[in-house]
Amino acid sequence: NLKLKIPGGRATAAPPVGSTLGQYGVNMMDFITPFNEQTKDMQGQTVTAHITVFDDKSMKFRVVGQPTDDMIRDKLGIKKGSGKPNTEKIAKKLSQKDLTEIAENKAKDMNTSDVEAVKKMVAGTARSMGVETE
């Protein structure tokens, strides 16, 4: 199982895709074309592709959306979280509206409709970055 972080809609035969898939003797275009088609509406976001390569060099993949911490940073317009999240907090706070929007996006990746449970997970990720929620 491989995990690659790739900009949505922009996979190419260059590294990391080419160098990683090349090691397994997989036809890169069998991944690049369907990946770009599937992620064309995610331009500008970095998504994670979970790729399974089989013995016959065929493969399957699924796309997981933007990582939660990236979504939090984008919402708040910050470059990074706190290096000491327990003592040094980020000045900006995540609103309940932001929390709900991020959770609704993440719920799709997690195959759940329990947005409240996902909101708790997002709030936990925020806390680990030194970001407080309202």
Side-chain angles (χ1 to χ4, degrees):
N1 266 351
L2 309 168
K3 289 182 184 175
L4 295 178
K5 287 192 173 193
I6 309 166
R10 295 207 189 118
T12 65
V17 177
S19 54
T20 305
L21 293 181
Q23 297 171 37
Y24 295 93
V26 172
N27 179 345
M28 283 170 251
M29 294 320 289
D30 288 348
F31 169 75
I32 293 170
T33 306
F35 172 85
N36 286 342
E37 185 60 32
Q38 190 177 329
T39 59
K40 66 178 183 253
D41 56 346
M42 298 175 177
Q43 294 279 347
Q45 293 180 25
T46 298
V47 297
T48 304
H50 292 250
I51 306 167
T52 305
V53 178
F54 302 105
D55 290 339
D56 65 359
K57 298 196 185 347
S58 66
M59 70 186 130
K60 68 176 182 170
F61 72 93
R62 70 185 182 92
V63 174
V64 180
Q66 194 176 22
T68 305
D69 54 336
D70 286 355
M71 294 169 108
I72 292 169
R73 283 194 293 270
D74 286 353
K75 276 277 183 233
L76 297 178
I78 57 174
K79 294 248 182 280
K80 60 182 187 161
S82 169
K84 298 178 185 166
N86 295 333
T87 53
E88 293 173 19
K89 302 297 180 197
I90 301 292
K92 297 179 177 179
K93 291 186 177 188
L94 263 187
S95 70
Q96 284 299 312
K97 179 177 166 280
D98 292 340
L99 209 53
T100 303
E101 283 176 19
I102 293 171
E104 286 169 353
N105 278 325
K106 292 306 292 178
K108 295 175 204 147
D109 291 343
M110 301 173 143
N111 294 330
T112 181
S113 55
D114 187 353
V115 173
E116 286 307 309
V118 180
K119 273 174 76 169
K120 289 179 184 153
M121 185 214 74
V122 173
T125 301
R127 268 194 306 280
S128 72
M129 298 166 64
V131 174
E132 294 178 313
T133 55
E134 292 175 353

